[in-house]
Amino acid sequence: MWRYIKRLLIGKPLKTADEGGQSLTKFKALALLSSDALSSVAYGTEQITAVLITLSAAAMMYQIWVAALVLVLLAAITLSYQQIIHAYPSGGGAYVVASTNWGQSAGLVAGGSLLVDYMLTVAVSTTSATEAITSAIPSLYQHRVLISCLIVIGIMLLNLRGMRESASFLTLPVYLFILMILGMVIYGIFQISTGHIQYHAAANIGSPVAGMSLILFFRAFSSGSSSLTGVEAISNAVPNFKTPKSKNASGTLAIMATILAVFFGGITFLSFYMGIAPNEHVTVLSQIGEGVLGHGLLYYLLQLSTAMILAVAANTGFSAFPILAYNLAKDKFLPHAYLDKGDRLGYSNGIISLALGAIVLIQIFNGKTNSLIPLYAVGVFVPFTLSQSGMIIHWMRNRGKAWPMKMVINFIGAFISLALVVFLFLLRFENVWPYLIVMPLVLRLFYKINAHYKKVAKQLRVSDDETELTPVHHFDGSTVIVLVGGVTKVTARAVSYAQSIGDYVIAMHVSFDADPEKEHQISEEFKKEFPDVRFVDIHSSYRSITQPALRFCDVIAKRAADRNYSTTVLVPQFVPHHRWEHILHNQTSLRLRAILNSRQNIIVSTYNYHLRE
């Protein structure tokens, strides 16, 4: 039943060879990877006005100057990430840049910040979508947490179906939102120019405002900079683009930044001119839409498109989090389960982990966007600072064409990003203090996992005396199949044990399309270490080990049964010293034993190798 439900929700498995068909064009990539950044215009201006209104209505005039500074930062970050895309085309974004130029510890701070931030991305996007829905339908306000969680689950299922399907699904809401906001901004400016919208700002630009301070200005700037979250997602996902990957990714980033600048600038101007003030139950964007479009069909279409893009903005996190988790797992700082691709060629474990984390955050913060955004901004601007300052070191080391100018751009972005981080801690400490607790815990987890993997690798490494082990005795005619994942100390001892209980030993390995060089290396290394043992490489097109292994064992067992011989399948596994360490390793042996136990003519045996530490 579970298999049928899974196929219904997720779809049939795709072959590894089909991965090229999952690559993104600029058109689809803009929908898939820019929804977070573009959707932030729905609450970016509101975050600025929410700070300024605490002083007076006249202070709302400063939103124009705050927006101008945000746009300067957007330009610096965009140019900087375009450089990162070309310099590090393998993806990984801030984590790879910081690790390469500042060292592994800085890279882990960037990576850990982004992992938490992508969970916050999903939480903020879905709670903002819910606010847009409840602005139009106030009776749903008390159910906002449930609505947000259901949106997260829906987007998770969409991403489990694969990147191509999620990109196709997102095309409508993203481009509808672009059309509606662009139309609203243009029509609003037209109505202003024709006098149909009156000037309602409490103070003119440049007018002195009593009580206004530099601290309040930068507090508003730090809140408004939340509009820039999501800009880094494209640099993380460069491998997902069609060739030429770097060129297409860079072009998509430029298009996204241009649209974001026009929307953010236009909405902020309309908010100032119309004298819009933040309201707990009605968003600033909703008030602007009602003032420009009226309360008719176009207004509800604007609210619908806003709710849709805020909901699907979470998809940026679902696109970037699994790839970042993959890079950290590849470097042995996260469990190896994040390296595995699911049936639809997506990193399913990363997708599910992100959804669970976002649901927990929504529950903790009771679905309130304003409580999440300051912490959200810290998680973005710490990696921004590390990546852009890392690029300064990159240019000093590697130089290249026009490197002084590129370094100046990176310096501007790094300086403003660092200033924002400082302001957030000084001015919004009551909201961002959890970062100082979460990040040390995340870093400790990274190092704990990494230390475990290093100890395991050291204990499993084959030494010269491992292949010299001699079998004790034989049982004539019996066949033993040893399942081999790689050439390790476990493999060596399991093969030796198989030779002691069987007359004919076969080493069976299942290979995938993902890394043919690695698979060839395993084959050559095994044949070199065990020249007298038959090595069989079974190819799997679907990243599945159990089914190919079962089919091969069935064939061998049938042949042995015809000659009245027994067949034993030996499943080697190492047993970690501590129970909690089991979650750091793929439980392939459990799945293999479970499926092989269904065969009457096969004896299933386990070879346990216990780790010392």
Side-chain angles (χ1 to χ4, degrees):
M1 183 186 294
W2 165 244
R3 186 163 61 249
Y4 289 123
I5 294 173
K6 183 180 178 182
R7 294 290 164 261
L8 178 65
L9 294 175
I10 299 175
K12 295 180 179 180
L14 297 172
K15 291 184 177 181
T16 305
D18 295 334
E19 192 164 17
Q22 297 289 306
S23 298
L24 299 172
T25 60
K26 288 182 183 177
F27 183 79
K28 286 190 174 182
L30 187 64
L32 186 68
L33 298 171
S34 68
S35 54
D36 178 27
L38 295 181
S39 68
S40 62
V41 301
Y43 53 80
T45 299
E46 184 165 3
Q47 293 303 308
I48 297 173
T49 58
V51 173
L52 295 174
I53 195 66
T54 58
L55 176 61
S56 65
M60 301 276 281
M61 174 268 296
Y62 282 95
Q63 67 184 291
I64 297 296
W65 301 115
V66 171
L69 188 55
V70 170
L71 292 178
V72 171
L73 179 57
L74 171 63
I77 289 174
T78 301
L79 292 171
S80 180
Y81 271 102
Q82 282 186 313
Q83 296 170 17
I84 290 173
I85 286 170
H86 290 292
Y88 300 92
S90 60
Y95 167 66
V96 173
V97 176
S99 297
T100 304
N101 297 290
W102 281 117
Q104 193 65 66
S105 296
L108 291 177
V109 171
S113 296
L114 285 173
L115 284 180
V116 176
D117 189 68
Y118 287 135
M119 291 183 183
L120 287 164
T121 295
V122 176
V124 167
S125 298
T126 51
T127 54
S128 297
T130 303
E131 286 179 1
I133 294 171
T134 56
S135 291
I137 312 174
S139 59
L140 295 176
Y141 183 77
Q142 60 182 341
H143 303 295
R144 62 188 184 277
V145 173
L146 176 61
I147 294 170
S148 298
C149 293
L150 290 175
I151 292 172
V152 172
I153 293 171
I155 299 174
M156 178 193 74
L157 293 174
L158 176 65
N159 279 271
L160 289 174
R161 292 188 66 87
M163 185 169 56
R164 184 169 59 187
E165 287 200 28
S166 59
S168 299
F169 177 83
L170 293 174
T171 300
L172 174 62
V174 171
Y175 285 103
L176 175 62
F177 179 76
I178 290 174
L179 183 64
M180 290 303 301
I181 296 295
L182 186 62
M184 184 192 73
V185 170
I186 292 174
Y187 187 57
I189 293 174
F190 171 76
Q191 285 190 304
I192 288 172
S193 64
T194 56
H196 288 89
I197 293 180
Q198 300 300 316
Y199 183 76
H200 289 291
N204 294 324
I205 296 176
S207 301
V209 177
M212 187 63 191
S213 64
L214 198 60
I215 291 177
L216 186 65
F217 179 86
F218 282 113
R219 186 181 175 92
F221 173 55
S222 63
S223 296
S225 296
S226 60
S227 296
L228 305 185
T229 54
V231 174
E232 81 292 340
I234 291 178
S235 68
N236 281 325
V238 177
N240 292 334
F241 282 82
K242 286 186 177 295
T243 53
K245 296 179 183 295
S246 297
K247 182 179 179 181
N248 286 330
S250 178
T252 304
L253 178 58
I255 295 169
M256 180 195 72
T258 302
I259 296 173
L260 177 58
V262 171
F263 285 5
F264 180 69
I267 289 171
T268 304
F269 172 74
L270 290 174
S271 170
F272 161 73
Y273 194 90
M274 297 169 69
I276 302 294
N279 184 303
E280 184 179 355
H281 298 289
V282 184
T283 63
V284 166
L285 185 61
S286 176
Q287 294 179 66
I288 294 172
E290 188 173 3
V292 173
L293 305 173
H295 205 77
L297 177 63
L298 288 177
Y299 166 76
Y300 283 103
L301 194 58
L302 172 68
Q303 289 301 97
L304 175 63
S305 67
T306 303
M308 288 172 67
I309 196 172
L310 284 167
V312 302
N315 202 81
T316 299
F318 279 103
S319 301
F321 180 97
I323 296 176
L324 177 58
Y326 169 85
N327 281 308
L328 284 162
K330 186 176 64 175
D331 293 338
K332 303 187 184 303
F333 289 103
L334 278 182
H336 285 168
Y338 291 109
L339 297 174
D340 297 337
K341 289 190 175 182
D343 288 347
R344 303 289 291 182
L345 298 173
Y347 295 105
S348 304
N349 293 322
I351 292 169
I352 295 170
S353 298
L354 175 60
L356 293 175
I359 288 173
V360 169
L361 286 171
I362 290 170
Q363 296 285 342
I364 291 173
F365 289 94
N366 199 31
K368 294 182 179 178
T369 304
N370 289 341
S371 301
L372 289 164
I373 284 180
L375 190 59
Y376 178 39
V378 170
V380 171
F381 285 105
V382 168
F384 276 2
T385 304
L386 289 170
S387 63
Q388 290 176 90
S389 59
M391 286 302 294
I392 296 174
I393 298 174
H394 171 83
W395 296 125
M396 292 176 67
R397 287 176 178 170
N398 302 291
R399 304 302 171 94
K401 186 178 179 180
W403 69 270
M405 180 59 68
K406 294 176 179 177
M407 194 166 69
V408 169
I409 293 170
N410 295 139
F411 177 79
I412 293 171
F415 178 77
I416 299 177
S417 297
L418 178 61
L420 265 171
V421 172
V422 173
F423 290 141
L424 282 166
F425 277 109
L426 291 178
L427 306 178
R428 306 296 297 271
F429 187 77
E430 70 278 6
N431 297 113
V432 303
W433 64 264
Y435 182 87
L436 299 176
I437 296 176
V438 172
M439 275 313 299
L441 292 175
V442 170
L443 290 175
R444 178 172 172 76
L445 178 66
F446 286 159
Y447 285 119
K448 189 88 172 174
I449 292 172
N450 185 255
H452 170 77
Y453 282 132
K454 286 181 177 178
K455 290 177 182 178
V456 170
K458 182 179 179 180
Q459 293 180 67
L460 296 184
R461 194 170 295 119
V462 178
S463 57
D464 294 336
D465 60 337
E466 291 297 328
T467 56
E468 297 175 1
L469 297 172
T470 56
V472 179
H473 60 279
H474 295 267
F475 295 103
D476 292 339
S478 63
T479 301
V480 182
I481 303 171
V482 184
L483 305 184
V484 176
V487 183
T488 65
K489 190 174 290 188
V490 183
T491 304
R493 297 198 176 187
V495 168
S496 177
Y497 175 72
Q499 290 175 319
S500 73
I501 64 171
D503 184 58
Y504 184 45
V505 177
I506 303 173
M508 190 210 69
H509 174 73
V510 179
S511 63
F512 306 126
D513 290 325
D515 195 349
E517 291 185 6
K518 179 183 177 182
E519 304 294 355
H520 179 72
Q521 182 181 353
I522 291 173
S523 175
E524 293 300 313
E525 190 175 348
F526 186 91
K527 291 174 183 178
K528 180 181 177 181
E529 296 288 347
F530 310 101
D532 57 334
V533 177
R534 180 187 173 193
F535 181 83
V536 178
D537 186 3
I538 307 297
H539 178 74
S540 173
S541 298
Y542 291 95
R543 303 157 310 285
S544 170
I545 293 176
T546 54
Q547 291 301 325
L550 182 64
R551 286 194 295 269
F552 177 79
C553 292
D554 279 341
V555 171
I556 298 299
K558 186 177 184 304
R559 291 177 183 176
D562 291 342
R563 299 196 299 270
N564 202 28
Y565 294 153
S566 65
T567 301
T568 300
V569 177
L570 188 62
V571 183
Q573 67 175 18
F574 60 85
V575 181
H577 188 65
H578 301 286
R579 288 184 179 181
W580 69 267
E581 294 171 338
H582 283 281
I583 63 173
L584 301 180
H585 304 280
N586 299 326
Q587 304 302 317
T588 306
S589 60
L590 291 176
R591 297 195 298 271
L592 286 168
R593 288 200 303 272
I595 198 167
L596 288 168
N597 282 332
S598 65
R599 296 302 193 259
Q600 294 182 359
N601 57 343
I602 294 177
I603 302 167
V604 182
S605 181
T606 304
Y607 183 87
N608 288 328
Y609 182 85
H610 290 264
L611 300 177
R612 295 184 302 276
E613 58 179 349

